[in-house]
Amino acid sequence: MAKSKIIKELANNEISMEVALNRLLIIASDIDNEELSEWASSELHGYKQSEVFPAYRQIKSTQFIYSGINGSFQVTNVPFTYLPILQEIVPDIIDLQIGDSISTLQGFLDNSNSYSYCRDYSYLNDYVYGKTGIQCTRIIQCVPLNYLQNIMSEIKTRLLKVLIKLD
């Protein structure tokens, strides 16, 4: 398979990045490049927590929302402004490593009902109640979709650079 064909197809969005990464996996195998093969495989299948995440998959998000009862008010999806309380239990809570596969990330971006990528921290509900008296039923950390778009853009750029270098 001609690398220049893959480059043109990817640059013109004629093939998905998933297809291009699968092709790169084959090329990496042909040239016995284990590092390139591992990168393509991690992007295709997602990163394991034990793996070192690339810098472009490490982000910060301080956007937390919660639902529950605050005083005498029932609230739904309002900003959670008690971040230091969460940081008492999870010190690096704002530092996220997005390890999902490229197809999962693309699925979030393609879903017109998604406004953000979320991490659930509802297991901290009792702790928050003990510290603030707020009865949370849900606490989530939101990552705006443009962060995922930036990750996808970085993967595409790196993929194109690798293919160009190999061509």
Side-chain angles (χ1 to χ4, degrees), residues 64-110:
F64 287 82
I65 60 173
Y66 77 102
S67 297
I69 299 173
N70 189 345
S72 59
F73 298 100
Q74 183 169 346
V75 296
T76 304
N77 295 333
V78 296
F80 185 81
T81 57
Y82 301 97
L83 186 57
I85 291 170
L86 299 180
Q87 288 175 313
E88 290 173 7
I89 298 293
V90 187
D92 57 352
I93 198 166
I94 65 170
D95 300 318
L96 290 174
Q97 295 181 323
I98 308 295
D100 296 299
S101 69
I102 196 158
S103 61
T104 300
L105 297 179
Q106 191 63 57
F108 271 101
L109 294 172
D110 292 343

Side-chain angles (χ1 to χ4, degrees), residues 132-158:
T132 66
I134 298 172
Q135 297 175 346
C136 297
T137 55
R138 182 176 181 216
I139 303 171
I140 58 173
Q141 181 179 29
C142 299
V143 176
L145 292 183
N146 67 312
Y147 283 49
L148 300 185
Q149 290 167 333
N150 290 343
I151 291 170
M152 296 294 282
S153 177
E154 182 66 30
I155 294 168
K156 185 175 183 176
T157 300
R158 287 173 183 249

